[in-house]
Amino acid sequence: DAGITQSPRHKVTETGTPVTLRCHQTENHRYMYWYRQDPGHGLRLIHYSYGVKDTDKGEVSDGYSVSRSKTEDFLLTLESATSSQTSVYFCAISAGDVDQPQHFGDGTRLSIL
Amino acid sequence: GENVEQHPSTLSVQEGDSAVIKCTYSDSASNYFPWYKQELGKGPQLIIDIRSNVGEKKDQRIAVTLNKTAKHFSLHITETQPEDSAVYFCAASMWGKLVFGTGTRLLVSP
């Protein structure tokens, strides 16, 4: 299995609070991604990173920010969580952007009450 | 942008039967098509992928076919086993951004 660790694995929080999810990789891959998974929608890309301090938006980026200060860590922040952000969040890594497989972590289940 | 449709949403087969899952994509510039298997409580696991310069790829009991003209690709699982039961996702990619189908729940009954 690809060396990807997501933390926490489960979190319950209240509307309006800030939340940060962490993705840590041991593969030294350049590309890292954050997806959310919701019933009926499959997985949708939130943000991605193509190097340290280099990030870009995905399909559903509103309400989320990311940071990557080290190759191995990619953080996803919800500045002020809303109930619509209740979801399962997955991190993925890839060695390249063109035709390269993405490998996923086991996810963080986030519930916002 | 890219749109991927996946059918069927659920598929029930008997052990030993074959299973076929189909996907269509909208953007002819997409050039990479992976398939993932997701078990309960786990992240998606890559099981096979195909690039746009190839029409078919096989790996033991799993095969994927790609028709670029019609913009559709399919996953074929032969001699299904109960451990094949899971949710399967197709995806299409252009420049590393994956767009996923909505998933197929495969149930293999002994």
Side-chain angles (χ1 to χ4, degrees):
Chain A
D1 289 346
I4 306 168
T5 304
Q6 291 189 233
S7 59
R9 292 295 315 278
H10 302 272
K11 186 173 183 66
V12 180
T13 190
E14 294 184 347
T15 301
T17 60
V19 177
T20 296
L21 308 183
R22 180 182 184 234
C23 178
H24 178 79
Q25 59 141 332
T26 58
E27 304 297 320
N28 200 35
H29 281 351
R30 179 181 174 189
Y31 290 81
M32 299 185 74
Y33 307 82
W34 278 107
Y35 292 86
R36 61 178 289 174
Q37 184 174 36
D38 304 289
H41 289 279
L43 291 97
R44 292 179 291 174
L45 181 64
I46 305 171
H47 281 282
Y48 66 101
S49 170
Y50 48 95
V52 173
K53 298 191 188 305
D54 292 324
T55 64
D56 204 350
K57 296 179 180 180
E59 177 188 357
V60 290
S61 59
D62 288 348
Y64 302 95
S65 62
V66 291
S67 65
R68 191 165 177 203
S69 59
K70 299 184 291 184
T71 299
E72 57 266 35
D73 289 326
F74 192 32
L75 303 181
L76 177 71
T77 297
L78 292 64
E79 300 289 349
S80 178
T82 68
S83 57
S84 64
Q85 294 175 311
T86 292
S87 187
V88 182
Y89 291 86
F90 288 99
C91 171
I93 65 173
S94 175
D97 60 344
V98 179
D99 299 354
Q100 293 297 310
Q102 293 185 21
H103 299 282
F104 285 78
D106 282 337
T108 294
R109 182 173 296 276
L110 178 63
S111 297
I112 301 165
L113 307 178
Chain B
E2 177 65 277
N3 182 54
V4 176
E5 295 190 356
Q6 182 172 347
H7 300 281
S9 57
T10 58
L11 179 59
S12 294
V13 299
Q14 293 291 318
E15 182 177 1
D17 288 349
S18 294
V20 180
I21 302 171
K22 299 181 179 182
C23 290
T24 61
Y25 62 100
S26 60
D27 194 330
S28 58
S30 290
N31 54 13
Y32 173 66
F33 306 91
W35 285 88
Y36 288 87
K37 175 184 180 182
Q38 187 176 24
E39 297 176 332
L40 197 62
K42 297 287 190 179
Q45 179 185 11
L46 181 71
I47 56 172
I48 196 167
D49 56 10
I50 191 167
R51 290 162 177 81
S52 58
N53 59 346
V54 176
E56 183 175 0
K57 182 177 179 180
K58 288 187 70 174
D59 183 3
Q60 299 183 339
R61 297 187 296 108
I62 294 174
V64 57
T65 58
L66 171 64
N67 183 325
K68 286 170 52 180
T69 302
K71 291 189 282 189
H72 65 70
F73 56 113
S74 300
L75 177 71
H76 304 253
I77 306 174
T78 59
E79 301 173 22
T80 54
Q81 302 167 4
E83 50 265 40
D84 293 330
S85 296
V87 179
Y88 291 80
F89 290 95
C90 64
S93 172
M94 185 171 52
W95 296 107
K97 294 184 181 181
L98 287 178
V99 176
F100 284 82
T102 51
T104 296
R105 184 174 300 277
L106 174 65
L107 177 61
V108 181
S109 302

